[in-house]
């Protein structure tokens, strides 16, 4: 049995959470492989929004096992709070398991994240401020604390062994308590996933952030600190590339970005405002307004290549309703020369925009792509041409059921 992947193919916030929620019905295990509580995955069920940060987005399926893999960095207190919120609405959280290889986000990581941002001044990345970067720095520096270390010794001992110190006794106690309470969820992460792969379980791997925020291949240095692309699923879970089946990329019908860094298709005029307003484009984790722009085909093709996508899903098509013309960025030029996505951060970047006719009819009730207005279908057709992978589904509203195939 192969494991399938669903991941974001722009700058995060493509709406992966609700797609994972939908697809999870066909799987036995849903696993997160990277990132931490910088992610904000929201699912809308009966008009109620459930925001998840670190627990996989399949919580509404009682029979699905939920796994937080070794490539993640986990803030024990955030995870406990999240488990508490889920338990309060009747969700069985005993099926949430954490890899012993996952790293612990400590209070000093959060402090260091803020300090690093201050030091960067006008070059600040606009991180989510959750200590994610410093936690990954410690992992690579081989001075991090894993859940394996906590279960073997007290956190203080583990820290002492690795020459770290806490900022305050109170924080120290809080993390210790939180980590202890999570102990029943900690498993040998490699055994866990391989037992299930070998046992024929159907496994879905859930990406966090988006391909263009990947630490190696995104708009560096304006990126997150983990590998968000499909290869990150292998390293984040300790599985081989041969175990991967479908790789499904989620694209918003336009582009958004929260935080600093290149966004070549950004609209600085009323059209950008309209996208933000109609799309409710404010960060799930930080509440910051998201920068908005047209769909960027150059960036999208790059993401298809990085991930080896087999299929695509387009979200929030309904947000484009009411635009007389819908734009699509199809080329980048630097100094008169045509360039690929690597040109995204160039100060003299020029973009080529193709405009397509828009539509004004509401599409929220369409459940078949064939029922969409002709101009909306033509827009999707154009996206499919540039992606060159089949678009298997389109979301047309916030509710779980508002999907067209
Ligand atoms: P960090 O991951 O908190 O270090 O933030 C690094 C960059 O990634 C910033 O631009 C954040 O806004 C962005 N980022 C991190 N997580 C997410 C996410 O889940 N959605 C969108 N942007 C994110």
């Amino acid at each position: 049995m192969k494991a399938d992947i669903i991941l974001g193919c722009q700058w995060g916030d493509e709406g992966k959470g609700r797609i994972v929620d939908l697809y999870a019905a066909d799987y036995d295990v849903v696993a997160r492989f990277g990132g931490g509580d910088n992610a904000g995955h929201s699912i809308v069920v009966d008009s109620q929004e459930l925001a998840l940060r670190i627990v996989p987005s399949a919580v509404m399926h009682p029979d699905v096992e939920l796994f937080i893999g070794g490539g993640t960095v986990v803030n024990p207190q955030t995870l406990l709070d999240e488990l508490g919120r889920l338990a309060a609405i009747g969700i069985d959280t005993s099926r949430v398991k954490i890899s012993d290889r996952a790293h612990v986000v400590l209070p000093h990581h959060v402090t260091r994240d803020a300090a690093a941002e201050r030091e960067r001044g006008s070059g600040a990345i606009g991180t989510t401020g959750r200590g994610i970067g410093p936690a990954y720095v410690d992992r690579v520096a081989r001075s991090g604390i894993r859940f394996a270390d906590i279960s073997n010794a007290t956190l203080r001992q583990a820290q002492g062994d690795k020459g770290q110190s806490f900022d305050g006794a109170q924080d120290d106690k809080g993390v210790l308590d939180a980590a202890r309470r999570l102990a029943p969820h900690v498993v040998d992460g490699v055994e866990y996933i391989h037992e299930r792969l070998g046992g024929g379980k159907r496994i879905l791997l859930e990406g966090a952030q988006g391909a263009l925020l990947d630490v190696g291949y995104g708009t560096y240095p304006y990126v997150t600190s983990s590998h968000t692309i499909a290869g990150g699923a292998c390293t984040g879970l300790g599985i081989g590339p041969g175990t991967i089946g479908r790789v499904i990329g989620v694209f918003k019908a336009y582009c958004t970005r929260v935080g600093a860094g290149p966004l070549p298709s950004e609209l600085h005029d009323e059209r950008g405002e309209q996208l933000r307003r109609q799309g409710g484009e404010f960060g799930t984790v930080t509440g910051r307004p998201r920068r908005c722009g047209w769909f960027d085909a150059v960036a999208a093709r790059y993401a298809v290549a990085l991930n080896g996508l087999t299929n695509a899903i387009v979200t929030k098509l309904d947000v484009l309703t009411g635009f007389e013309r819908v734009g699509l960025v199809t080329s980048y030029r630097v100094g008169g020369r045509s360039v690929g996505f690597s040109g995204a951060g160039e100060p003299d970047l020029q973009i080529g925009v193709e405009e397509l006719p828009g539509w004004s009819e509401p599409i929220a009730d369409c459940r078949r792509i064939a029922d969409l207005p002709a101009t909306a279908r033509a827009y999707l057709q154009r996206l499919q041409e540039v992606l060159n992978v089949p678009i298997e589904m389109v979301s047309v509203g916030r509710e779980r059921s508002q999907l067209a195939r």
Side-chain angles (χ1 to χ4, degrees):
M1 196 61 92
K2 301 234 179 197
D4 297 329
I5 309 180
I6 293 184
L7 38 63
C9 283
Q10 291 152 322
W11 284 273
D13 308 316
E14 298 89 353
K16 301 172 287 293
R18 61 97 58 99
I19 302 295
V20 170
D21 169 47
L22 179 82
Y23 278 58
D26 296 330
Y27 291 88
D28 302 305
V29 182
V30 177
R32 272 276 302 266
F33 57 82
D37 62 3
N38 48 349
H41 294 163
S42 33
I43 306 168
V44 178
V45 185
D46 298 334
S47 302
Q48 260 204 317
E49 186 158 332
L50 191 60
L52 299 164
R53 299 231 160 116
I54 183 76
V55 176
S57 305
V59 292
M60 300 307 291
H61 301 271
D63 298 329
V64 173
E65 294 182 64
L66 307 164
F67 184 52
I68 300 170
T72 64
V73 291
V74 178
N75 182 321
Q77 191 55 56
T78 320
L79 175 55
L80 271 181
D81 291 348
E82 194 164 312
L83 294 178
R85 277 197 304 277
L86 294 173
I89 56 168
I91 289 172
D92 167 22
T93 55
S94 67
R95 62 203 162 107
V96 175
K97 301 295 180 210
I98 311 163
S99 170
D100 55 349
R101 269 64 159 206
H103 275 242
V104 180
V105 177
L106 296 166
H108 70 82
H109 292 136
V110 179
T111 316
R112 279 162 55 194
D113 196 357
E117 282 287 81
R118 273 196 305 276
E119 261 170 46
R120 289 183 192 112
S122 62
I125 292 164
T127 71
T128 58
R130 301 212 158 234
I132 304 301
Y136 278 114
V137 166
D138 282 355
R139 181 189 198 233
V140 174
R142 294 158 294 180
S143 56
I145 308 292
R146 301 166 309 160
F147 278 84
D149 301 320
I150 295 178
S151 55
N152 294 340
T154 67
L155 183 57
R156 185 175 289 287
Q157 276 167 340
Q159 282 201 306
D161 291 348
K162 297 192 179 183
Q164 293 189 15
S165 68
F166 265 139
D167 294 318
Q170 195 50 46
D171 289 346
D172 188 343
K173 188 172 175 306
V175 175
L176 256 173
D177 289 348
R180 266 198 216 104
R181 286 168 59 197
L182 287 172
H185 297 274
V186 178
V187 295
D188 179 321
V190 177
E191 269 180 19
Y192 176 96
I193 201 78
H194 283 278
E195 267 171 23
R196 282 155 184 78
L197 271 174
K201 298 265 187 191
R202 296 162 304 168
I203 303 180
L204 179 63
L205 313 179
E206 174 182 8
Q209 290 83 44
L212 306 178
L213 287 172
D214 182 274
V215 67
Y217 300 96
T219 48
Y220 191 88
Y222 298 98
V223 292
T224 190
S225 297
S226 59
H227 283 294
T228 57
I229 58 175
C234 292
T235 55
L237 290 162
I239 57 177
T243 61
I244 304 299
R246 297 211 306 154
V247 185
I248 305 163
V250 184
F251 295 84
K252 210 181 269 190
Y254 49 98
C255 280
T256 63
R257 173 163 205 170
V258 61
L263 179 60
S265 69
E266 185 165 10
L267 292 164
H268 296 280
D269 55 16
E270 168 51 30
R271 295 171 300 174
E273 286 294 330
Q274 191 176 339
L275 284 173
R276 188 174 307 115
R277 210 170 40 242
Q278 292 184 185
E281 296 295 352
F282 296 88
T284 318
V285 175
T286 58
R288 292 177 290 182
R290 294 180 186 141
R291 298 154 61 198
C292 299
W294 296 133
F295 189 91
D296 184 334
V298 179
R301 271 194 294 259
Y302 178 70
V304 170
L306 289 180
N307 290 299
L309 288 194
T310 59
N311 301 80
I313 292 174
V314 174
T315 58
K316 299 184 93 164
L317 185 67
D318 53 304
V319 174
L320 294 178
T321 303
F323 280 89
E324 211 168 298
R325 304 190 74 73
V326 180
L328 187 71
V329 170
T330 49
S331 63
Y332 291 180
R333 293 184 84 76
V334 174
R337 232 171 19 91
S338 173
V339 295
F341 186 72
S342 59
E346 294 297 326
D348 57 343
L349 176 74
Q350 290 184 309
I351 53 167
V353 183
E354 183 178 308
E355 288 199 339
L356 285 89
W359 59 93
S360 54
E361 305 90 317
I363 61 171
D365 293 331
C366 293
R367 294 294 172 268
R368 293 183 331 148
I369 291 175
D371 295 338
L372 292 168
T375 46
R377 285 203 313 274
Y379 178 67
L380 279 182
Q381 184 56 41
R382 187 72 185 107
L383 294 195
Q384 173 139 317
E385 268 166 33
V386 301
L387 295 173
N388 201 23
V389 291
I391 295 175
E392 62 182 30
M393 194 188 296
V394 181
S395 86
V396 292
R398 278 162 53 84
E399 280 292 335
R400 228 179 178 189
S401 61
Q402 289 181 301
L403 295 155
R405 296 178 212 241

